[in-house]
């Protein structure tokens, strides 16, 4: 659970940075956030969470 909260905060900060730097429009940001929200309710959520956890564990081993 701690990994999920951390990744949400990280992606949120990146999204805010992209919006402030005008690299990303509000429509694209809304679409990306909506896609992530609906992706989390599909069967793909568990493998994505496992992949993220594996990558984070691998980075800690470096």
């Amino acid at each position: 659970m701690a990994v999920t909260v951390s990744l949400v905060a990280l992606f949120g900060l990146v999204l805010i940075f992209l919006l402030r730097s005008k690299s990303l429009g509000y429509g694209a940001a809304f679409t990306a956030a909506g896609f992530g929200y609906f992706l989390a309710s599909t069967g793909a959520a568990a493998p994505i969470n496992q992949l993220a956890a594996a990558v984070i564990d691998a980075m800690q081993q470096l």
Side-chain angles (χ1 to χ4, degrees):
M1 185 66 176
V3 171
T4 304
V5 173
S6 299
L7 288 176
V8 167
L10 175 67
F11 286 129
L13 288 174
V14 169
L15 185 61
I16 289 170
F17 173 75
L18 289 173
L19 284 170
R20 288 184 58 93
S21 68
K22 307 255 194 259
S23 298
L24 183 68
Y26 289 104
F30 180 75
T31 302
F35 176 72
Y37 177 78
F38 287 113
L39 181 64
S41 65
T42 66
I48 291 171
N49 286 336
Q50 292 171 352
L51 176 64
V55 169
I56 290 169
D57 288 339
M59 289 175 57
Q60 291 176 350
Q61 299 299 321
L62 295 178

